[in-house]
Amino acid sequence: RGELRAIATNKPFGRLFSVFLLQNIAIGASATAFIYYLLTVMRTDLVLAGQLFSVSAIAATVFTPAWIYVGRRLGKTRTYSLSLLLSALAALPALFLPSSLYWMLFGILFLAGAIDASNQLMPNSMVPDTVEVDELQTGQRREGAIFGAWAFCRKLGMATGAFLVSLGLNFVGYIPGEVAAGEQSATAIIGIRIIYAVVPFVLWVTALFLLRKYDLNEERFEAIKQEIEQNAQSAKASN
């Protein structure tokens, strides 16, 4: 209970947790809806899905060093805000892309993968900063509790995103097993476009606005470290 209370009173971590949760709900929803979008809306086959996921993964790997450079120049919070905004914008083309131009998904997924490199790198590099806040408040280091909650956040977000897609598919009248576009209603096809594109867009934008309240920048982090060091030196002197 003490560790949970400490986490709950760690405001920077709580705000970062909320942002990361929405991010992973968006990713979970997008990843789950992608197959339905590909088969039903774009009228392609599953072979293309593997190729597209590979393109996205390669882009994330290639662009990670670039995001490290940007993070050092702009700061982690600003870089994270930028990539959240870009992720939101990158979700929208799927809403209008005609099935005849399915090949453009390679460019869209490449871009999404490149942006996702920052969305994974920045928040994970910001979590250790919140450990210092907890130590300043409680006098203890609770890396285990904080990183445990962080891992739970990722799993909760991905599972929630998948669950929301299942509810959405049922709501728009998707018929399970009938993957051909001609065997689905127009409402179902439009609904899948909205689930795949608009739902993540809204989640990304909401996460971006929540991140605006995150005030643990590099300057404040350095000040917290100095205060912790001063407290430790004072404790040694008194002993």
Side-chain angles (χ1 to χ4, degrees), residues 67 81-91 111 115:
W67 283 115
S81 297
L82 174 62
S83 58
L84 288 174
L85 175 61
L86 293 176
S87 290
L89 296 176
L111 177 61
I115 299 168

Side-chain angles (χ1 to χ4, degrees), residues 92-113:
L92 290 179
L95 185 63
F96 310 102
L97 188 67
S99 58
S100 59
L101 298 180
Y102 70 90
W103 51 270
M104 293 186 66
L105 288 172
F106 282 98
I108 295 172
L109 268 291
F110 183 87
L111 177 61

